[in-house]
Amino acid sequence: LFDSLPQARHAPEFERLFITPPHRDLAGLLEFHGARVVVADELGEVTGAIGEAVDRPGLDAVIVPVDRGYDLEVRAAIYR
């Protein structure tokens, strides 16, 4: 999503500010701050995970891993 912003043309600053490095343990960081975390690796898991999260009080996070390169290719094809 962020790759479609005008700022994307200004690498490496863009990369540093907008892109989560793939080697970072985002789930661990969120859990450290008290969040309940679900990693939705399958498309079918996303809706259920979000539905459960909104029904509970507190902080929940649903992480949906995305292949950035593939996503960029698909978006470019759609725009064409």
Side-chain angles (χ1 to χ4, degrees):
L1 177 67
F2 293 118
D3 286 296
S4 64
L5 296 173
Q7 294 90 326
R9 295 186 303 256
H10 303 289
E13 293 83 9
F14 168 77
E15 297 283 329
R16 185 175 60 81
L17 296 173
F18 286 92
I19 306 301
T20 303
H23 60 279
R24 301 285 180 185
D25 181 9
L26 184 58
L29 179 63
L30 288 162
E31 289 170 344
F32 175 79
H33 289 285
R36 289 178 295 266
V37 178
V38 173
V39 178
D41 292 313
E42 303 278 332
L43 182 60
E45 298 173 341
V46 175
T47 304
I50 292 172
E52 290 177 17
V54 298
D55 288 338
R56 291 189 297 236
L59 179 61
D60 284 71
V62 179
I63 297 175
V64 182
V66 174
D67 179 319
R68 183 175 170 207
Y70 178 73
D71 182 67
L72 289 171
E73 289 176 22
V74 169
R75 288 177 186 273
I78 290 170
Y79 294 142
R80 285 191 297 269

